[in-house]
Amino acid sequence: MADAKVIPLDEDTRARRGTRTGARPAQGRRKAAVPGSARLAAVGDDTDAGQEEPRSVPPAGERAGASGVTGTLGGVAERLLGGDWDRRVAGGLAFLRRRITGEYEVDDFGYDQELTDQVLMSLLRPLFEKYFRVEVRGIENIPAEGGALVVGNHSGTLPLDALMAQVAVHDHHPAGRHLRLLAADLVFVLPVVNELARKAGHTLACAEDAQTLLERGEIVGVMPEGFKGLGKPFGERYKLQRFGRGGFVSTALRTGVPIVPCSIVGAEEIYPMVGNARTLARLLGFPYFPLTPTFPWLGPLGMVPLPTKWTIQFGEPIRTDGYAPEAADDPMLVFNLTDQVRETIQHTLYKLLVQRRSVFF
């Protein structure tokens, strides 16, 4: 094949062919795209040398990323915990830190006030407010300061009435007082229950512990019927059992504190006790083994209490500071005061029952 001749092109022809084949003048080339951007920043001869190249703008979804998630979580927290959710969360974290590091106090009875206020009362409060819908009357009869002995009736198969009385004093007393309950020996030999009872401020039902607490100015709660009242048959509901030997009155006389009668209506019907398996109770070491319309026939479901409507009324205090401390050893005086407290509670129970429209409403 013959060699091809190379015909030199003039400048105009070279310029026209360069345009058609896509060649660009050296000074008119574009710069590379900014990494991450979908655009090309065109910079020509007329671009100022000091002008900042345009930044890439993220899509709307990416712009809302972190702030959108934070806003969503904040909205959920506000709906669940209320408008002050951030303060409550901070308080909860501080509480956990103190529990982990051991920076909290308990008294010599094992009472943990912080745990009681923030955890135990919070667990009992829905039962108090929503389930039993407890109405509290006469809370002003409990003194705002100094010791006092609250004496109440006992019923309901399980001691929920004592716990509800504790919530009533804790939540409704204007001075925010705490009720320290005296409990039976059985409470302090049961695993888990023992620890929780101590943390909640309960102590053994003995004269020494009660006197110590009253002398410290505490509100002490006692239910003298004990297991006789707690495990009585449903047919004897709201009929007070014997109040023991009046040891609580002797303690009140020695310390000079007022006695506040407490009448509780509604607890008798939460577990209607229609029978008592005494043989099984002896084998288990219990004072009684209840048979109700639901327990043990429905298994664990039978342990759910009936949603009765409760009323807790604190009566006018019976003063003891007018007696000498030696009066605690006078059996006749102790008997008379014990009978007065018992009759006051019984009369109030009958009056509340007459006023009650329904067991459940």
Side-chain angles (χ1 to χ4, degrees):
M1 179 181 295
D3 294 337
K5 293 182 180 180
V6 178
I7 302 175
L9 300 177
D10 58 14
E11 293 183 0
D12 291 339
T13 304
R14 285 200 299 267
R16 284 196 301 273
R17 288 189 176 182
T19 302
R20 286 195 300 270
T21 57
R24 298 187 179 92
Q27 294 182 348
R29 294 179 181 174
R30 296 177 181 267
K31 291 189 177 182
V34 178
S37 173
R39 299 181 180 180
L40 295 177
V43 182
D45 293 339
D46 57 346
T47 303
D48 295 337
Q51 183 175 349
E52 183 181 357
E53 294 182 8
R55 296 180 180 178
S56 62
V57 180
E62 295 182 12
R63 291 198 302 271
S67 59
V69 172
T70 303
T72 302
L73 292 177
V76 172
E78 184 173 354
R79 285 194 296 271
L80 293 177
L81 302 177
D84 58 345
W85 66 271
D86 50 349
R87 180 184 62 81
R88 298 177 65 180
V89 169
L93 293 175
F95 171 77
L96 290 176
R97 180 187 60 80
R98 289 192 296 272
R99 308 311 297 186
I100 294 173
T101 59
E103 298 176 6
Y104 59 91
E105 297 180 356
V106 297
D107 66 10
D108 48 352
F109 290 95
Y111 175 45
D112 189 335
Q113 181 175 339
E114 184 183 46
L115 182 69
T116 300
D117 292 345
Q118 299 195 27
V119 178
L120 300 182
M121 289 296 107
S122 298
L123 295 176
L124 292 173
R125 195 168 290 121
L127 198 64
F128 180 93
E129 296 177 350
K130 306 298 183 182
Y131 198 78
F132 294 135
R133 296 148 291 148
V134 181
E135 178 185 356
V136 180
R137 302 179 183 179
I139 192 67
E140 67 279 359
N141 289 317
I142 296 179
E145 57 184 14
L149 185 66
V150 176
V151 182
N153 60 303
H154 209 13
S155 62
T157 305
L158 291 180
L160 294 180
D161 52 355
L163 298 178
M164 294 301 103
Q166 186 178 13
V167 178
V169 175
H170 182 276
D171 287 2
H172 291 265
H173 197 280
R177 306 216 60 183
H178 297 78
L179 182 64
R180 306 289 295 272
L181 293 168
L182 303 180
D185 301 6
L186 179 61
V187 172
F188 299 103
V189 299
L190 296 175
V192 181
V193 175
N194 171 34
E195 288 295 325
L196 290 177
R198 289 290 185 186
K199 295 291 186 182
H202 308 169
T203 189
L204 193 63
C206 64
E208 292 78 10
D209 286 1
Q211 184 171 338
T212 301
L213 289 172
L214 290 172
E215 288 174 346
R216 294 180 182 179
E218 298 281 359
I219 304 295
V220 177
V222 61
M223 295 178 165
E225 291 178 280
F227 290 120
K228 299 187 302 295
L230 196 62
K232 64 176 176 286
F234 186 68
E236 298 180 12
R237 59 191 180 278
Y238 299 114
K239 296 178 182 178
L240 294 184
Q241 306 298 303
R242 184 172 174 268
F243 265 24
R245 301 176 182 177
F248 67 92
V249 171
S250 298
T251 304
L253 288 170
R254 287 191 177 91
T255 54
V257 301
I259 300 174
V260 181
C262 176
S263 303
I264 304 174
V265 167
E268 294 274 12
E269 296 90 359
I270 60 174
Y271 297 110
M273 186 169 165
V274 296
N276 181 13
R278 291 184 174 85
T279 302
L280 187 56
R282 283 194 297 269
L283 291 174
L284 297 175
F286 295 159
Y288 56 87
F289 189 89
L291 301 176
T292 74
T294 59
F295 182 83
W297 330 115
L298 298 182
L301 187 61
M303 299 182 66
V304 178
L306 297 178
T308 58
K309 176 72 172 66
W310 287 35
T311 301
I312 298 179
Q313 179 162 330
F314 298 94
E316 294 185 4
I318 300 172
R319 301 182 65 87
T320 64
D321 54 357
Y323 299 95
E326 297 77 18
D329 300 321
D330 184 349
M332 187 56 67
L333 176 62
V334 171
F335 175 80
N336 289 336
L337 284 177
T338 301
D339 192 58
Q340 179 184 354
V341 174
R342 185 181 182 279
E343 289 301 317
T344 300
I345 297 174
Q346 184 69 82
H347 178 72
T348 305
L349 287 175
Y350 287 148
K351 185 169 65 174
L352 293 174
L353 289 172
V354 169
Q355 297 173 354
R356 183 170 68 167
R357 295 184 295 112
S358 167
V359 173
F360 299 101
F361 303 103

